[in-house]
Structures are given as structure tokens and as C-alpha cells.
Amino acid sequence: MPTPRRLRRAALPLAATALLATAVTACTSSGGSGGSGGDQRLKVALAFPPAQAMSPYGDDAVTLSRLAVVEGLTRLDRDGEAEPALATSWKRDGDRAWLFTIRPDTVFQDGTELDAAAVVRSLAAAQQASPKPRVLSDTTLTPTAEGADTVRITTKDADPLLPQRLANPSLSVLSAGAYAKSGAKVDPAGHATGPFTLAEVNGAVSATLERNDTYWGAKAKAPGVDVKFVADGTARANALRTKDVDVAEYVPISQASLLGDGLVHEFPSARTNGLSLNTGRGVFADPAMRAAARAAIDPKALVDGVYEGRADPAQGLLGPGVPWAADLRTAPTGRAKAATPAEVRKTPEIVLATYTNRPELPEVATVVQQQLEKSGFTVKQVVRDYAQMEADALAGKYDGFIQARNTLLDTADPVSYLASDFTCDGSFNITQLCAKPVDTAVDKAAALADTDARHKAEMTAEAAILGSDALVPLVHERFVQGYDDARVQGVALDPMERTLITSDTRIG
């Protein structure tokens, strides 16, 4: 029998915890303090180290956005609607084309000028990247410059969400210097437009940001940011408690009550934690086995036992962070009959994987393993840092993969999530699902300009995906970010996870 959760927490070795906190201090304090109050550098602990050397075409793009380094033509407001960023205005030109007017008198962090040619170069590079950014998994962009300050963007099919799509961090605009080394990874350091410049990256350990004094908008109030990548959630929480960091993202649920309300800020999210089952090979290529796995899972046990009530049992792919979904949800379609326990017991051992960067997930994996084994499966667990697992997960090397996925991250509308994660050509299809009913439903939703009609179509697609049992929804997360609200101001609490540090973030 596993050690009870609260006893495990209490038994944590104090020496090991202190050592982890010391490591955070050593790396996040390297930039020093530039004075007091608003003159101080920010010290930030992030959960995820760079997975692709800060490439803008994967999850590292979100890190760059959360640190206010990169920008696109548009940004999203609190309701997920597009508003001006590097483009000041836009208009539709026919069914498949849009015209964007570029912000005048704007320079990159390396001093070169932002113009239409720079936008075309960045969007073309994203389109040609391999693997393709998730946000482009369901469309093709063809950008052309029309003069120095206008860009025409033509899409393969009608794309009513193009302005929201262009706010995605993977479609950030960078200067020519980012692409200067032929065959090398795109380098955003010193080549973006945001209020902070990425000055140095020390592998998966730390990064240094400096204020961009040529920023076109409000200048950053902090002179710089010293970032430490700390996968261990307890270390992040301890560093926050001892003021060794000013901001710690994704505070573990187990630490939230210990830190107290002054340091913990909980808010709703669009994130769903789910068990992706490999439909392409192995045990779960059989729909009956996937149905048996889904029937074995009890999400409420996860909410009560792992999340201590700070999450909601999953009702589908889209949770409370997508408030319109509940009223439009329909029953899953096309589900197979679950295999019997006797049939399950004859199957080979399955590999269940998850990652350490979100501290609840290893505990979730342990509970899920117990529930699957109770139903007859033989389960082996693999738990590592996310950066070490992403490529294998995408290649279908695990039978089951537990991940936390923001369903609005790509375009602020779930259609891009549905396309990238569950269609035959999806660029983030960990389930390896390729089913014509799903592709047809997602394509229909993506083509609809009317918001209400698109939402209904998206829920039809959800029903088809859930019917395949390719993904078993587990819980809908609530975000817990850590900072002392008596001394740290301007931290963004963003359900879509694109912003954290902003121009306004400061000490005092």
C-alpha cells in the first residue's frame, strides 16, 4: 500500500529540501539587485526548462511569451479576442485573405526596423519549420508584403480565427538576425520585440533577461529578470517561502495550504489533465482495451486524493475554463464495448508515462496505475523531466501518457487544440489517433465563421474524440501561481497561460 499523501509530505527529507532551495537561490540571485522597489531585478522560478533551446516553434515559445520576450501581430484580451500588438489594424479581403497594417516606428531588440518584410520572413519560417508549430497544424499561411507597412496573409481555407491564431507565441515576429545561421535553430535572443530581451540561456538551468529600452510600448518597470528552471515543485515553493525568488509558477497543491493565501493565487484554467492512450500500436490499438481503461478510471479519487479539492473531475475535453462547453456537450459517439477483466489480464505489460515538472502528475500516475491494475492491466511507470519525454511521446513510444494540456493555448478557441491533438495530420497527436469521423468533425468546426455555430461543431468533434477513447479526461486543473502580493506587483494571472511576467511586474 502506498504511503498516505500527507505522511509522504511530512516525511520529506529536510536536508534535501534545503539543498534544492539553495540551488534555486544560487541561480536566481546571480543577477543581483539593482536597488529597491521598482529598481530591483525580478527573480523567477519556472517549472519547465527549455525543451528545444528556446526555439519559437514548440513549447519554448510559451516560455518566451510568459517572460514578455516575444510578440506577434496580435495579442489576446481576457475574453480571447484579438487586439493590436505589432499590427495596429487588420481587415478581411475575400474568403481566404487578410490585410494587416504593421506598427510604425518599431524596432527589434537588435536595433533593426520592423517592417512588412520582417513579418513575412518570420511567418514563412514558422510555416516551413519541422515539426510544424501546433497552431499551424490545421492551416497553411502564405504571407506577402504589400509595401513597407502592409502584409497580406492568405490561408489554405477560409480561416475566421486568423487574428487570434497570429497571437500564438510560435508566430512571433523576429529580426533577420534570428535566422542568420543557416541550418541552425532560430535564435530569439536579442532578436524579438518584447519589453524584455533574452540575454543569456544557460541550458536547462537558468536564463537572464534585460529590459528592452527601445520597446514600442510601456517600458518594463523592472530592470531585468533572473530565471531559474526548477522542475521540483517543493523547491519552487520553498524558494518562494524564503524570498529567494519573487515569483514561482505552478505551486504544487501539496504546498499551497502551507504557503498561505498571501503567497498563493488560485484561479480557473482551461487546462485538462488527461490520459492519452496510444491508438497506433500495442494494447490500446484495440478500442475495446481503451474502453476498459476508461472504465477503470475514477476522476473523483484524483480530485480528492491528489488535488485536495483544488481541481474538478473532468466532464470532457473542455472544462470550466471554457464556460460555454457544458451547455453544448453531447454524449460520446461510436464507443466500443469494453474488454472483460479476463481479456484484459491476458494483455502484455503497458508503459504508463508522465513527467515531473507538474508535481501532481507523478501522484496522478500512481493512482491511475492502481486503478488500471485493479481492472487487470499490468502497468510499468516511467516518470522523467518533460524535456526528456516529449519526442518519445510524440513518436508513440508509450502506451499511456498523462499530460496537462491547455485547450485554449493555440488560438484561444479549442478548434486548434482538437486539430493538433486528435486529427490524422495533427502535429501534437500523442494518441496517434487517425479517424475519419474525427477529422471530418474538426474540419467542419474550423471552417465556421459564426462563433455559436463553431462552438456547437466543436462539441460534436469532442463527442467523436471521446467516443474513440483515445484520451481519457482526468481532471480540470485550477492554476496556483506563487508570489507575495504585499511586495510583488503586476504578475499576470492568465487562464490561457501566455502571460506571467509583464512590463508592469515589479517589486514594491
Side-chain angles (χ1 to χ4, degrees):
M1 180 179 294
T3 306
R5 176 180 174 83
R6 293 189 182 277
L7 290 181
R8 286 203 308 274
R9 181 190 309 155
L12 210 81
L14 294 179
T17 299
L19 180 61
L20 285 166
T22 301
V24 175
T25 304
C27 291
T28 56
S29 298
S30 60
S33 295
S36 61
D39 294 331
Q40 281 187 269
R41 295 180 65 85
L42 292 163
K43 294 177 292 184
V44 178
L46 299 185
F48 292 88
Q52 301 104 7
M54 287 295 189
S55 165
Y57 303 138
D59 286 338
D60 291 357
V62 179
T63 298
L64 293 168
S65 176
R66 288 170 68 75
L67 293 173
V69 172
V70 296
E71 299 175 306
L73 290 180
T74 61
R75 61 171 55 129
L76 300 178
D77 66 14
R78 299 292 293 181
D79 296 322
E81 296 297 323
E83 60 182 18
L86 297 181
T88 57
S89 63
W90 51 88
K91 63 180 180 179
R92 202 161 188 173
D93 186 20
D95 290 339
R96 298 188 301 114
W98 297 71
L99 294 173
F100 290 81
T101 301
I102 308 307
R103 184 175 296 279
D105 303 321
T106 300
V107 297
F108 291 102
Q109 294 159 351
D110 58 14
T112 58
E113 185 178 354
L114 171 71
D115 58 13
V119 174
V120 169
R121 179 177 53 241
S122 291
L123 294 181
Q127 184 66 59
Q128 295 162 12
S130 180
K132 186 183 295 187
R134 288 196 303 261
V135 69
L136 296 180
S137 63
D138 60 339
T139 193
T140 299
L141 306 183
T142 303
T144 55
E146 297 193 353
D149 62 356
T150 303
V151 174
R152 176 184 295 273
I153 301 177
T154 304
T155 57
K156 178 182 66 173
D157 301 306
D159 186 1
L161 290 173
L162 184 63
Q164 287 97 322
R165 190 184 300 274
L166 292 170
N168 187 280
S170 286
L171 301 183
S172 298
V173 180
L174 304 174
S175 71
Y179 313 94
K181 296 180 181 178
S182 178
K185 290 184 179 293
V186 176
D187 181 13
H191 303 303
T193 60
F196 287 105
T197 299
L198 179 63
E200 182 181 3
V201 180
N202 181 18
V205 177
S206 62
T208 303
L209 279 61
E210 303 295 344
R211 178 165 50 207
N212 174 17
D213 288 326
T214 63
Y215 184 54
W216 59 267
K219 304 298 186 293
K221 293 180 179 178
V225 184
D226 298 312
V227 181
K228 168 66 177 177
F229 302 107
V230 186
D232 186 276
T234 300
R236 292 197 303 276
N238 284 340
L240 180 67
R241 183 183 293 109
T242 58
K243 297 185 173 61
D244 291 326
V245 300
D246 305 309
V247 180
E249 71 168 355
Y250 305 133
V251 172
I253 298 298
S254 63
Q255 297 292 314
S257 59
L258 301 178
L259 288 172
D261 292 342
L263 294 179
V264 170
H265 305 272
E266 180 180 332
F267 58 106
S269 82
R271 184 173 289 280
T272 296
N273 294 1
L275 169 62
S276 295
L277 300 177
N278 190 337
T279 67
R281 66 155 186 86
V283 171
F284 294 126
D286 182 347
M289 292 299 167
R290 300 198 298 272
R294 180 250 309 155
I297 302 302
D298 176 12
K300 189 175 185 303
L302 297 172
V303 171
D304 295 341
V306 176
Y307 289 89
E308 301 181 3
R310 294 179 185 263
D312 301 293
Q315 302 301 311
L317 301 178
L318 310 177
V322 189
W324 51 263
D327 291 338
L328 298 177
R329 178 163 287 122
T330 59
T333 55
R335 267 184 172 163
K337 181 180 178 182
T340 66
E343 292 170 328
V344 169
R345 284 192 289 270
K346 295 177 182 178
T347 60
E349 179 182 70
I350 62 173
V351 177
L352 174 66
T354 194
Y355 43 96
T356 57
N357 308 76
R358 293 186 179 276
E360 292 76 33
L361 293 190
E363 293 195 55
V364 168
T366 296
V367 175
V368 168
Q369 178 179 358
Q370 293 168 350
Q371 293 177 347
L372 291 173
E373 288 177 339
K374 187 176 181 180
S375 295
F377 291 99
T378 302
V379 183
K380 173 186 175 182
Q381 250 193 80
V382 174
V383 180
R384 297 201 301 271
D385 183 274
Y386 180 80
Q388 301 171 352
M389 307 189 79
E390 182 183 67
D392 286 346
L394 290 171
K397 294 187 178 180
Y398 305 119
D399 296 293
F401 188 72
I402 296 174
Q403 63 171 328
R405 184 77 163 91
N406 191 319
T407 60
L408 297 183
L409 187 61
D410 294 328
T411 62
D413 186 284
V415 71
S416 58
Y417 153 71
L418 300 175
S420 67
D421 286 35
F422 302 108
T423 63
C424 295
D425 295 329
S427 61
F428 201 68
N429 189 348
I430 289 176
T431 67
Q432 314 297 308
L433 181 66
C434 186
K436 186 175 180 180
V438 170
D439 279 31
T440 299
V442 173
D443 287 346
K444 179 179 178 181
L448 294 171
D450 179 76
T451 299
D452 290 340
R454 186 172 64 252
H455 287 172
K456 290 179 182 178
E458 286 163 348
M459 298 313 291
T460 299
E462 183 201 63
I465 294 164
L466 292 176
S468 74
D469 285 320
L471 183 134
V472 181
L474 301 175
V475 304
H476 302 303
E477 275 193 4
R478 301 172 197 164
F479 287 149
V480 183
Q481 307 289 37
Y483 63 91
D484 185 347
D485 56 13
R487 59 184 292 271
V488 181
Q489 309 297 318
V491 177
L493 301 179
D494 177 12
M496 287 178 279
E497 298 185 79
R498 295 187 181 190
T499 56
L500 178 69
I501 304 302
T502 72
S503 296
D504 197 43
T505 311
R506 64 201 184 277
I507 307 297

